Amino acid sequence: MTTPVLSLRGLSTRFGSNWVHKGVDLDIPPGEVVSLVGGSGSGKTTLLRQMVGLLTPTEGEVRVFDEPLFAGSREAQRQRRRRFAMCFQGGALFSAFTVYENIAFPLREAGIATEAEIRELVALKLTMVELLPSHAALMPAELSGGMIKRVALARALALEPELLLLDEPTAGLDPTRSASFVALIRDLQQQLGLTVVLVTHDLDTLAALSSKVAVLAERRILAFDSLEAVMQVDHPFIQEFFLSERSARALARAQGA
Amino acid sequence: MADAIRTPELHLSEGCLSPAGDWTLLALGSHANRLRQELAAAKANRWDLSALTRLDSFGALLLWRAWGGRLPADMVLPDGYATQFERLAAMDEAPVPHPPRVGVVDVVAGLGGALLGLFAHLGDFLALIGRLALDCLHLLGRPRNWPLKEFSANLYKVGVKAMPVSALVGFLIGVVLSYLSALQLKAFGADIFIVNILGLGIIRELGPVLVSVLVAGRSGSAMTAQLGVMRVTEEVDALTVMGISNYIRLVLPKVMALSVAMPLLVLWTSAVALVGGMMSAELQLGLSYGYFIETLPKVVPAANLFIALGKGAVFGVLIALVACHFGLRVKPNTESLSANTTASVVTSITLVILVDAVFAIATRSIGVPL
C-alpha cells in the first residue's frame, strides 16, 4: 500500500464551546483528486486551513508526506511546505505586485533558479494556465475573476508542488469559465501527477474533477469513496446533497460531458 | 510520494550524457549550480533520459537551455517527459515581454507627471471642500439628516481617547521647557519671568501645534486607513449605490468631530503642560503654585487663549480634510494604502505648520504684551 500524501489523525476542532470536528480521520492517497463536501458551517474550509497549518487543531494531528506538519527544524518545515501549495478562494494575489512578480515571488524566495530562468519559468506557468505573456505586466486589480484564479493557480504551481489544495476553485465564476477552469485543473493534474484536495459547493465541479469524495457532516467524515459509492450511502445529508433534483441534473450533465 | 529524494546527477559514458535522479526544483536546490556548470561544459550529442526518476519544469528548463532550445537529434526520451518539452517549445514561441527600459524621456515625463499630480491633488482637494460645502447647504434645511451618531462616535474616538496620550506628552514638554528656561533665567536673576515664557509659549504656540502633530499621527492616519480599506472592500461604492452621500456620512462627521475635539484637546493639553511647568518651576526656582496661578492671567492676555482655540479648530478641519482626501484616493492595493496613509500624515503636519506661520504673522499685534 502506498503511503498517503496527506492524512488526518483523530482531528478535533473546538471554537469556544462548540465542537466543529470530532475525531476526523482521512487518508489521501497520491494521485487522487479529493473533493471535500459538507453543509454550510460544517467546517470544510477550517479543515483545509488545518491541512496547510494555518489553523492548529484542538486535538489530533495532520501528517503530510508521512511526517507531522510541524515536525523538524525550521529548514525542514520550509522544505516540506514547498511540496504543497494552496489556492485561496479570492486568489490572495499580492496586490502590490504585477502578475509576473506574483508568480516569480515564490521562485525568487526559493533562491534556486537564476533571474533568466525565473523569467522562462513564469512564461511556462502562464502558458500552462492558458494566459497570454502580455498578461504578465498587469496588476491584480486589473484582472477579471477568472484570470485571478488562473494566476493564483500559476503561483501555486510555481514551486512544482506534489499536493495542491484548492478552496472553492470555481466560486464566483460564470458556468463557462468555471467549466474551462475545471478542465484546466484536470489537465494539469493529469500531466503533473498532482494530488489535489478541493473544497467546493459546486456539483458540476465536483462531478467533473473528483476521483474521490469526502463528505463532512456530523463533525466527522461520513463517507470517503468514489462519487458513485458515496451516493449510495443512506444518510439524510448525502441523500439531500446528491439526490435532489438540482443535483441530479448537474451530475447527469457532468456524466454526459 | 513520500519516498526519499534522489540526488540529481549528470553521467557521461561513451559520448552519451544521461541525467539521473530527481531533476526537480526541490531536489536540485543545492545542486543547481554544479549541474548548470556540468551541462555547460558537457560536449556530447547523444542524450539518454531514461535514468531520470523525476523531472519537473525547472529540470526540463535546465536541459532545454543546455540543448539550445530544441530537442537533440539523437536521444532516448521516455514517453512521460515529452509533454514537458512540448510545453517549453510552446513557451519559446511566446516569451514574457521585457519591461521597457527607463530612458531620459521617461525621467522628464516622470517629473512632469509629478507636477501634474500635484495640481491634480490641489484640484481634488478643492473639489472635496466644494462637495462638502454643497452637502452642508443641502443639510441646512434637513436637521434630521445630519450624521449626528457618526459625529459623536468620531468625537469619542479622536477626542476622548486621545486625552491620555496628549496629557502625557504635554506634561513632559511642560516640565522640560520649564526646567531648561529656569536654568537660563536663574543666571540673569529673572526667575519670575518663567510664568511669562511658559504661559505665552505653551498657550499660544506649543499647545496647538503639539496637539496637531499628535492628532495628525494618531487620528489622521486612522481616518485615511479606514477610508482606504473601505475603498478596497468597495464599501464606499456600496454607499454610493444606496444613494447615500459619502461626503455626508464619511467625511463630514470626521471634519465636524475634529473641529470640535481639537480646541478642547488644545485646552486640555495646554493646561496639563502648564501644570507640568508649574511643578518644575516650584522645584527648580522655588516659585510657589499660588504665585504662578495668580500671575498667569496678568502676563498672558486672554486673547492668546482665543487664538489658540481658533488655531485648534482650523488645524482640526485641515487634518480631517487632508486625511479624507488621501483616504478617498486609495486604489485597491496594499501599496497604495500605505503610500496614501504616509502622505496623509506628512501633508497634514506640514500644512499645520505652514498655516501656523500664517497665523503667527496675522495675529502678531494681538495678545502680546509689549
Side-chain angles (χ1 to χ4, degrees), chain A residues 3 5 30 65 79 83 95-96 107 112-114 117 119-121 123-125 128 133 136 159-160 162 191-193, chain B residues 1-2 25-26 29 32 36 54 56-58 61-62 65 87-88 91-92 94-99 332-335:
Chain A
T3 43
V5 172
F65 308 110
Q79 290 286 339
R83 297 174 66 183
S95 57
L107 289 164
I112 297 165
T114 64
E117 285 164 355
R119 201 161 188 85
E120 293 181 302
L121 286 173
L124 188 65
K125 302 296 163 195
M128 276 164 78
L159 287 184
E160 313 284 346
E162 295 157 52
Q191 285 173 24
L192 307 175
Chain B
M1 273 289 155
L25 195 64
L26 192 71
R36 270 190 207 110
R54 242 183 261 165
D56 70 4
S57 46
F58 180 60
L61 180 70
L62 286 184
R65 284 295 155 244
R87 265 206 301 266
L88 280 165
M91 182 266 293
D92 273 349
V96 175
H98 277 275
N333 67 65
T334 47
E335 195 63 38

Side-chain angles (χ1 to χ4, degrees), chain B:
Chain B
M1 273 289 155
D3 47 354
I5 294 167
R6 280 171 289 266
T7 315
E9 299 290 349
L10 185 65
H11 300 302
L12 175 65
S13 58
E14 298 164 12
C16 177
L17 278 163
S18 52
D22 286 356
W23 280 58
T24 60
L25 195 64
L26 192 71
L28 282 164
S30 49
H31 306 283
N33 268 331
R34 175 173 61 84
L35 288 169
R36 270 190 207 110
Q37 284 160 10
E38 286 183 27
L39 280 171
K43 284 192 181 56
N45 34 24
R46 278 177 53 221
W47 288 80
D48 182 2
L49 300 196
S50 50
L52 277 177
T53 43
R54 242 183 261 165
L55 179 73
D56 70 4
S57 46
F58 180 60
L61 180 70
L62 286 184
L63 291 173
W64 186 251
R65 284 295 155 244
W67 297 336
R70 60 192 142 75
L71 289 178
D74 185 5
M75 76 178 300
V76 181
L77 179 64
D79 281 344
Y81 301 140
T83 47
Q84 302 264 21
F85 297 110
E86 280 164 23
R87 265 206 301 266
L88 280 165
M91 182 266 293
D92 273 349
E93 307 274 298
V96 175
H98 277 275
R101 283 183 183 281
V102 180
V104 184
V105 179
D106 295 301
V107 175
V108 176
L111 208 64
L115 193 66
L116 289 179
L118 188 68
F119 286 127
H121 267 291
L122 285 177
D124 283 0
F125 192 65
L126 271 181
L128 176 75
I129 295 173
R131 282 299 302 269
L132 208 58
L134 286 180
D135 281 339
C136 285
L137 276 181
H138 168 83
L139 282 179
L140 274 184
R142 299 174 183 75
R144 283 169 56 89
N145 288 3
W146 283 89
L148 292 179
K149 259 189 196 159
E150 289 90 338
F151 167 68
S152 100
N154 272 297
L155 192 60
Y156 176 73
K157 252 193 319 204
V158 301
V160 179
K161 285 194 153 181
M163 282 172 74
V165 66
S166 62
L168 178 70
V169 173
F171 183 80
L172 292 177
I173 294 272
V175 168
V176 170
L177 201 65
S178 174
Y179 174 74
L180 290 177
S181 317
L183 288 181
Q184 300 295 315
L185 291 173
K186 223 178 189 172
F188 294 105
D191 296 14
I192 52 164
F193 285 105
I194 188 90
V195 187
N196 304 42
I197 291 182
L198 288 183
L200 265 182
I202 289 175
I203 293 178
R204 190 181 171 109
E205 201 56 45
L206 210 52
V209 172
L210 191 68
V211 173
S212 299
V213 172
L214 275 178
V215 167
R218 190 186 168 278
S219 309
S221 61
M223 287 174 180
T224 306
Q226 188 199 10
L227 284 182
V229 173
M230 286 181 79
R231 290 263 309 162
V232 174
T233 54
E234 297 183 318
E235 288 168 62
V236 172
D237 300 341
L239 272 179
T240 310
V241 171
M242 288 177 204
I244 296 168
S245 162
N246 296 325
Y247 296 90
I248 292 182
R249 277 307 165 90
L250 300 175
V251 180
L252 188 59
K254 292 182 170 57
V255 176
M256 281 163 59
L258 265 189
S259 67
V260 172
M262 276 283 294
L264 296 176
L265 276 176
V266 167
L267 202 64
W268 159 253
T269 311
S270 299
V272 177
L274 281 177
V275 169
M278 192 165 74
M279 285 169 68
S280 180
E282 206 263 348
L283 286 172
Q284 189 72 16
L285 300 171
L287 222 59
S288 76
Y289 294 156
Y291 176 79
F292 197 104
I293 294 170
E294 202 180 315
T295 320
L296 191 63
K298 289 182 194 150
V299 297
V300 183
N304 287 296
L305 190 61
F306 296 120
I307 291 175
L309 295 181
K311 274 190 195 179
V314 171
F315 294 168
V317 170
L318 266 183
I319 292 170
L321 284 176
V322 168
C324 293
H325 167 72
F326 282 102
L328 291 172
R329 287 177 71 95
V330 170
K331 292 189 182 63
N333 67 65
T334 47
E335 195 63 38
S336 163
L337 184 62
S338 82
N340 275 293
T341 311
T342 311
S344 159
V345 175
V346 171
T347 312
S348 51
I349 292 179
T350 315
L351 260 185
V352 160
I353 289 171
L354 276 177
V355 173
D356 187 56
V358 174
F359 259 102
I361 297 167
T363 62
R364 64 187 181 280
S365 56
I366 307 169
V368 189
L370 294 168

